[in-house]
Amino acid sequence: MSKQWSGSRRLRVVVGIASAALVAGLVSACGGSSESDSGTVYFGVSGPKSGPSAEYGRLWQQGFDLALDEINAAGGINGKKVELKWEDSQSDPKQTVPIATKFVGDESIIAELGDFSSPASIAASPVYNRGKLVQYGFTNSAVDFTKAGDYSWSPSITLDVFQERNAQWVSAKAKKVSVVYLETDWGKQAFKFFEQSAKEKGVEIVYSSPILPDSQDFRPVLIKGRDANPEAFVHLGYGPDGALIVKQLRDVGYGGQFFGGQNTPQFISLAGAAAEGDIVNGVFTAADTNPKVVDFVKKFRAKFNVDPGDFNVYAYDAINVLVKAAEHGGATREGVLKGLREVKDFDGIGLGTFAFDQQTRRPNGVKPIELILKNGAFVPTGNK
């Protein structure tokens, strides 16, 4: 392929994307705000159904399905059925932007859910804000996500809060730690907040290293972390890499306390016995005795024959929040925004009853809970 042909092709692609965005904006401005004449209300979902993060899309789908069963059985939104229009982004910033353009241009979509990773969502935020379509990044913990504009909202606990609590719980177990973190914008930000909080709490980081998200062999890094003689090992990342980390830590002979991974079935099954005693940040546990949670767990088990985890709950709660916002403000793009601004009693399985802070567009005062892996399930440690 010649450089001249390649450059011409790139120019055509750029022009095509710009034209599509302009058309989408015009369509949205002309008809996107009106109440749908059909018998169905749609939310768009930008999320991973394939690629490295596909497991999270699968967990989302379970949470969405249960929520939609209940919502539609109860009459939907003002008698209209609620459905999803899902686009597989692979949680890739290169794909979330054209998906955002497509959703903005589809006037039947009254709000968007996703994407999974904060970088993937942040890349698309300008499109949603220009198109005046609510972007509900319900798993986006990066502090800067909601700073994109009035249409970017998230119920997720932010990284600074997560890592302050993480450091607090680590400090109760160890004063010297080795840390590995994903070499991504999210991972670097997580490490920055953990490092700051650890120092404040008297925890010394004796070794730290970034890790590549797509690597399969972390042992050279882990051996260095082991040889620094830490009292605990901290992993700042996701479930799949966390499972490899803890298994390989045990393989190289480290038997100390591990903090890392995620409250997902995939992490538990991949890590196996190596993760027993692992401690993580979470928002939910199936062992919760709150009657509302007990009922949710019962219904989830009946439908999927497994216990729910954090990411099922994130998705289940997200649909319910947007439906309540639309019921309050109207099943339109402006109506969803109005509902998010005005409703004071959103009710979630993971967050309890909450309202959004109108400056940060995140819930106020929400804290993660400390969970420990015992006999193949994450349960509360009882620590605050």
Side-chain angles (χ1 to χ4, degrees), residues 79-267:
K80 292 187 176 183
K81 186 178 181 182
V82 180
E83 291 187 1
L84 305 178
K85 292 187 176 183
W86 188 310
E87 292 288 333
D88 179 12
S89 67
Q90 299 188 335
S91 204
D92 179 355
K94 298 184 188 68
Q95 299 189 50
T96 56
V97 175
I99 289 172
T101 300
K102 180 175 182 177
F103 284 167
V104 166
D106 183 344
E107 61 186 79
S108 71
I109 293 174
I110 64 168
E112 182 268 348
L113 296 127
D115 206 278
F116 164 64
S117 75
S118 294
S121 290
I122 289 170
S125 291
V127 180
Y128 290 115
N129 279 274
R130 286 195 301 269
K132 298 184 178 181
L133 178 65
V134 164
Q135 177 191 28
Y136 197 66
F138 59 98
T139 61
N140 295 153
S141 59
V143 174
D144 290 340
F145 167 67
T146 59
K147 295 179 181 178
D150 292 345
Y151 290 83
S152 294
W153 297 71
S154 178
S156 178
I157 299 169
T158 52
L159 270 177
D160 53 343
V161 176
F162 264 123
Q163 296 311 324
E164 186 278 328
R165 283 303 167 107
N166 199 16
Q168 177 179 318
W169 295 325
V170 168
S171 69
K173 297 278 187 180
K175 296 302 178 184
K176 296 195 306 179
V177 299
S178 290
V179 183
V180 293
Y181 58 94
L182 288 178
E183 193 168 21
T184 63
D185 289 342
W186 179 93
K188 293 172 185 175
Q189 190 177 80
F191 178 67
K192 181 188 77 172
F193 287 126
F194 178 80
E195 183 179 39
Q196 176 183 320
S197 293
K199 183 176 181 181
E200 292 170 354
K201 298 177 191 306
V203 176
E204 179 187 1
I205 298 176
V206 294
Y207 175 81
S208 65
S209 176
I211 55 173
L212 295 173
D214 56 354
S215 178
Q216 295 296 307
D217 185 3
F218 301 107
R219 282 170 292 190
V221 168
L222 300 180
I223 289 170
K224 293 178 182 178
R226 177 203 65 190
D227 290 348
N229 297 315
E231 297 168 358
F233 220 103
V234 180
H235 159 257
L236 307 176
Y238 298 141
D241 46 285
L244 287 174
I245 290 289
V246 70
K247 288 182 73 174
Q248 291 173 18
L249 265 178
R250 304 314 184 202
D251 289 344
V252 301
Y254 183 77
Q257 178 65 52
F258 180 70
F259 292 83
Q262 286 180 317
N263 180 15
T264 66
Q266 184 187 39
F267 171 76

